Amino acid sequence: MASAIDLLDSAIADLEAKLNLAPGQSVPTPTTASKASKQQDTPVAAPATADAKPKQAKKKKEKKPNQKPAKKKAAAPNHDQPDICKLEFKVGQITKVWVHPNADKLYCEEIECGEDAPRQIASGLRPHYSLEEMMGRRLLVVSNLKTKKLAGFPSSGMVLCAAEAKEDGSGEKVEFVEPPEGAEIGEVLTFEGLPTPEPLSGAQVDKKKIFQACADGMKTTDDGSAAWNGHIFMTSAGPCKAPTIKNGPMR
């Protein structure tokens, strides 16, 4: 009769045969089988060659802060200065002049004032100057007045003149207030005995009626020098004058 050991050896042999195991081979665990299977399925990386280029890491784009540069605030207008310093007077020269087609007394002028382009200004001077006398004339321009249309022509400023009554009572004599010969085109005038002007904008001059406020004080002196309440209109080359009119109003 077979012993218990013989029966156990016989059962183990049968089991090994069913599992296709060699005699004495251990049974593989699920973990071991899984690892073997994964190793067989994983593709083997090809060896690197001399021509292979290493992949460069993509640079992250730095986000620039979405900030606009702060705008500089315009300087606040100086309302405490004398009224005449709120106006801007420039040395100019007429480079083109023609008769206004729709107004009997007006000339239309282009005046060089040292700016990007000549200014266009209309002046009621036809009764006082011929076209030939106007052309090339050096004069003073009030350059910070608001542009206004005169008989449909946009006038960006005004020319400064002195006036007096004619001796025969037949009307007015009008003549330009002229800068001295050495004054440069575009030079901004100062006023003797007053601080450096800080001109206001055209809109402010119009709103505050600055020119009208200065008008009563604007007269030529005993020698014809242009002045406001006695303060002479000055350039770097000297005072501005009317050729012949003394103690006459300027406008």
Side-chain angles (χ1 to χ4, degrees):
M1 186 174 184
S3 65
I5 294 176
D6 294 335
L7 291 174
L8 182 58
D9 288 340
S10 176
I12 290 173
D14 290 340
L15 183 59
E16 287 175 339
K18 290 179 179 179
L19 295 177
N20 295 322
L21 296 175
Q25 181 181 350
S26 60
V27 179
T29 62
T31 303
T32 304
S34 174
K35 287 182 178 179
S37 175
K38 285 183 179 179
Q39 289 175 352
Q40 292 176 356
D41 295 339
T42 303
V44 179
T49 64
D51 296 334
K53 294 182 180 179
K55 292 185 179 179
Q56 294 181 349
K58 292 184 180 179
K59 293 182 180 179
K60 292 184 179 179
K61 291 184 180 179
E62 294 181 1
K63 291 184 178 180
K64 294 182 180 180
N66 190 18
Q67 293 180 350
K68 294 182 180 179
K71 292 183 179 179
K72 291 184 179 180
K73 292 184 179 179
N78 182 1
H79 293 293
D80 295 331
Q81 63 185 323
D83 282 340
I84 195 68
C85 295
K86 299 173 185 177
L87 296 175
E88 184 177 65
F89 296 85
K90 286 185 176 182
V91 176
Q93 185 172 24
I94 298 175
T95 56
K96 186 178 180 181
V97 58
W98 63 97
V99 171
H100 193 299
N102 302 317
D104 294 337
K105 295 182 179 182
L106 292 180
Y107 281 128
C108 300
E109 306 115 26
E110 287 189 359
I111 303 178
E112 178 60 53
C113 295
E115 300 167 338
D116 292 339
R119 283 178 177 258
Q120 290 194 332
I121 294 177
S123 307
L125 295 174
R126 283 175 66 182
H128 309 288
Y129 288 97
S130 67
L131 281 171
E132 291 76 19
E133 291 172 327
M134 291 284 289
M135 187 62 190
R137 179 77 62 162
R138 284 166 55 86
L139 38 67
L140 300 184
V141 173
V142 190
S143 55
N144 66 330
L145 300 180
K146 191 175 180 179
T147 298
K148 293 186 177 181
K149 287 188 176 182
L150 298 181
F153 182 82
S155 183
S156 300
M158 63 173 286
V159 297
L160 189 64
C161 294
E164 66 179 2
K166 290 182 178 179
E167 292 181 359
D168 60 6
S170 61
E172 278 190 326
K173 175 184 178 181
V174 175
E175 60 188 22
F176 288 113
V177 176
E178 299 175 348
E181 187 175 343
E184 292 187 7
I185 300 300
E187 181 177 348
V188 177
L189 270 61
T190 57
F191 307 96
E192 190 176 56
L194 295 180
T196 301
E198 298 178 50
L200 304 185
S201 68
Q204 292 167 336
V205 168
D206 186 63
K207 182 179 180 180
K208 302 290 184 180
K209 300 186 183 304
I210 301 298
F211 189 85
Q212 293 88 328
C214 293
D216 288 343
M218 292 170 58
K219 297 178 181 178
T220 58
T221 63
D222 291 341
D223 67 351
S225 294
W228 176 79
N229 291 341
H231 300 282
I232 306 299
F233 284 45
M234 296 294 297
T235 70
S236 58
C240 302
K241 293 184 176 184
T244 64
I245 296 176
K246 322 294 183 184
N247 300 308
M250 298 189 303
R251 58 177 187 264

